[in-house]
Amino acid sequence: MTVRLYTGRIGYRGDDALPVTRRIVTHPDGLPFAPSDPLLTWGLSERKAGRGAAMWATYEARYVEEMRASYRRHRAAWEALLARPEVTLLCFCHDPTHCHRGVLARLLTRCGAVYECER
């Protein structure tokens, strides 16, 4: 079976919700997909300083590297997520085009998931 993949903001309450965040809302199944604390801290400080758009390419590249390492370390979590019939990846970011949930969705499509849309 192929997982149908959605993205959305924290607050979505569907049964398929999976927060992929760190600090405030943590979910054990989602933590392998959350940015590391150092990357999150750096990204938030850059965004707060008004450099969000300028830092995005660096943030995305660092997050992709973290997810490659996560895939190696937490392969069972990746396989469990991909075995679901449906999942909605959740984060706090307002702009899904500059959020790790969109990057993760692209990575998961390379593993066979079918991306549907932002909820």
Side-chain angles (χ1 to χ4, degrees):
M1 181 183 293
T2 301
V3 63
R4 289 182 23 236
L5 180 63
Y6 300 86
T7 54
R9 292 196 62 221
I10 294 290
Y12 170 75
R13 300 279 187 234
D15 291 339
D16 66 324
L18 180 64
V20 290
T21 62
R22 191 167 301 278
R23 294 187 188 162
I24 298 170
V25 175
T26 60
H27 188 287
D29 295 343
L31 283 176
F33 308 102
S36 67
D37 197 52
L39 181 58
L40 178 60
T41 299
W42 175 77
L44 292 174
S45 69
E46 290 295 295
R47 186 181 293 166
K48 186 176 180 180
R51 295 185 292 266
M55 67 81 179
W56 178 248
T58 301
Y59 183 93
E60 184 174 12
R62 289 180 183 172
Y63 178 70
V64 167
E65 286 303 312
E66 288 187 355
M67 290 304 97
R68 286 183 179 140
S70 172
Y71 186 80
R72 289 188 300 272
R73 281 192 312 268
H74 305 287
R75 185 70 177 264
W78 285 74
E79 290 174 359
L81 188 150
L82 291 164
R84 292 178 176 209
E86 185 173 288
V87 65
T88 300
L89 307 172
L90 303 178
C91 182
F92 290 96
C93 297
H94 292 280
D95 181 359
T97 63
H98 287 94
C99 177
H100 75 282
R101 70 182 182 257
V103 178
L104 179 57
R106 287 193 302 275
L107 293 173
L108 290 167
T109 62
R110 293 180 187 169
C111 297
V114 174
Y115 182 71
E116 298 290 344
C117 64
E118 173 85 3
R119 291 198 193 260

